[in-house]
Amino acid sequence: MTTRRRALAAWAALVAGAFAVGGLLHARGVLRIDHLPPLHALARLPTAALLPAAAFAVVAVPVLPRLIAHLPMRAALAAAFAASLAWTVLLAVSGEGLAWPFTHPQEYLAGLGAVGDDPLGWLARFTRDLPAYPTHVRGHPPLPVLVLWTLSAAGLPGPFRAAVLVVVTGCSATAAIGLAVWRVAGEEAARRALPYLALSPAAVWIATTMDAFFAGVGAWGTALLVFGARSRAGRVALGLGAGLALGALPYLSYGLVPYLLVPLVAAIAVGVPRTTVAACLAGMAAVSALFAAGGFWWPAGVLATHAEWAADPGAARPYLYFLVANLAVLALVTGPATAAGLVAPGRSRDAILPLTALAAVLALDVSGVTRGEVERIWLPYALWVAALGGRTRDSRLLAAQAAVALLLQGFVRSPW
């Protein structure tokens, strides 16, 4: 058996084993809140509504890699983004649609009533009033709610508009990661990775979970940091933009602190100029200073959220099972091509950023604060890991990626 086949067999065994053991634990009442462990979801049967997405995959699998290989690089990035957006939307509309997840009473939009017309007052009271908020608001820093409040205040209220923002931002991570890979590993590596990013099984959860928005913000922050500029003013502007995006990550999700390893390693790999680094750090410091001035102290938010998590049924999930099952979910979300790419021969530079994201996931997994529901939590990391698929040079594995996404969308009913 070749190394690739062993990697694919290990991928299948990990996923199948996690479902088999999860099913036993659920049957015995150990995992009562998860009906399809390791996923926090329900099983269902596919319908004919999935056919447009399947038809798109049939066309995109052979055409997209050729298109990306021959277009000018910037046009290739745009094509990958467009394909990602089409793929994600077609998958979503075959089920409950884009907006449905945001209508849940425990989602972020349900917390907007507490903000009212006083976002600064709400921010100052956020930690104190945390127990009164919906589940997703309690489990995160205040910035996701403030983003949706701003959207509503701009005259774009409601679940559908929020979903459009999240899906477009999440899909744009394809282009941003492509830019970063281009800068770190070269144009060829980026072109090979883009189809796997565009047709990733992660698309099932990009539509629609707020974590997809986090993924887009982090990816663009990293891309801005490493992209480079000829003039000093341009280097400062890019660094400041990167700093504002990356500085926002810990205020979007506490679980995104390890994510900062990705831009750090990327910056070291390309030798980002000191002026850009200084501007980036200034932008990150400015974000923290603004939240502190508004009355939100990040360490206090961490402690309050941890107390809420410890009292939640999710904290009682078995650590050892999810230590392994969380990685099975990552394997499922990133697809079998990622496993093959992990062992593929080639330049190690192609794998720098995906392996850094994988290391960050492992750190979170071992910490034990991510026990289940990681199909959404892993999204910002999973999109980087999915770039490993580009190292395989095998169109059959791209087809397998699309097939996994179709199977997930058809047989799994996720609340996100």
Side-chain angles (χ1 to χ4, degrees):
M1 183 181 289
T2 64
T3 302
R4 174 183 288 189
R5 288 183 178 178
R6 284 195 292 269
L8 292 173
W11 179 90
L14 177 62
V15 172
F19 276 102
V21 175
L24 288 173
L25 291 175
H26 177 70
R28 294 180 179 180
V30 177
L31 293 175
R32 295 180 181 177
I33 62 175
D34 301 301
H35 299 285
L36 193 63
L39 300 176
H40 186 69
L42 297 169
R44 66 177 173 190
L45 293 175
T47 68
L50 196 59
L51 289 176
F56 178 84
V58 168
V59 174
V61 166
V63 171
L64 187 61
R66 296 175 189 171
L67 187 66
I68 288 173
H70 292 97
L71 285 172
M73 191 58 196
R74 287 174 175 78
L77 291 167
F81 164 62
S84 175
L85 189 59
W87 177 234
T88 301
V89 171
L90 284 171
L91 286 170
V93 298
S94 73
E96 288 73 26
L98 291 179
W100 174 77
F102 274 167
T103 63
H104 195 280
Q106 297 302 324
E107 269 284 354
Y108 298 97
L109 283 177
L112 290 186
V115 182
D117 296 324
D118 185 20
L120 290 179
W122 176 83
L123 180 63
R125 300 187 303 269
F126 179 80
T127 302
R128 185 195 70 190
D129 295 345
L130 195 66
Y133 297 142
T135 301
H136 279 235
V137 179
R138 293 201 311 270
H140 291 79
L143 187 51
V145 172
L146 291 176
V147 168
L148 296 177
W149 181 90
T150 302
L151 188 69
S152 181
L156 297 169
F160 180 75
R161 293 177 177 89
V164 169
L165 172 69
V166 167
V167 171
V168 171
T169 305
C171 289
S172 75
T174 293
I177 293 171
L179 276 171
V181 172
W182 179 14
R183 186 77 172 89
V184 171
E187 184 177 319
E188 182 187 354
R191 288 184 185 274
R192 285 191 278 105
L194 283 171
Y196 291 88
L197 292 167
L199 299 179
S200 169
V204 172
W205 286 282
I206 289 176
T208 303
T209 167
M210 198 69 184
D211 297 76
F213 179 82
F214 308 161
V217 172
W220 281 109
T222 305
L224 288 173
L225 180 62
V226 302
F227 192 69
R230 294 179 181 178
S231 67
R232 181 181 178 87
R235 289 194 292 268
V236 170
L238 286 173
L240 185 59
L244 293 174
L246 297 175
L249 293 180
Y251 295 89
L252 289 168
S253 172
Y254 298 115
L256 287 174
V257 173
Y259 184 98
L260 296 175
L261 282 173
V262 176
L264 174 63
V265 169
I268 293 171
V270 303
V272 172
R274 292 181 181 178
T275 51
T276 304
V277 172
C280 179
L281 293 174
M284 295 177 72
V287 173
S288 294
L290 285 172
F291 274 94
F296 176 73
W297 181 239
W298 192 84
V302 171
L303 292 174
T305 298
H306 187 270
E308 291 295 315
W309 172 81
D312 188 87
R317 290 172 169 135
Y319 172 80
L320 288 179
Y321 169 70
F322 279 103
L323 182 67
V324 177
N326 284 348
L327 299 180
V329 174
L330 179 67
L332 198 58
V333 172
T334 58
T338 298
L342 193 62
V343 300
R347 296 171 58 209
S348 59
R349 203 169 181 84
D350 295 2
I352 288 175
L353 299 183
L355 290 179
T356 302
L358 182 57
V361 166
L362 291 173
L364 275 174
D365 190 30
V366 171
S367 75
V369 297
T370 49
R371 301 187 193 182
E373 305 182 32
V374 292
E375 52 267 32
R376 59 177 179 82
I377 296 170
W378 288 161
L379 272 182
Y381 302 93
L383 294 179
W384 289 97
V385 177
L388 284 170
R391 305 181 79 233
T392 64
R393 303 173 185 268
D394 189 337
S395 61
R396 293 173 298 178
L397 286 171
L398 184 60
Q401 297 290 90
V404 169
L406 290 166
L407 289 170
L408 284 169
Q409 182 64 32
F411 287 96
V412 175
R413 187 176 186 267
S414 174
W416 307 292

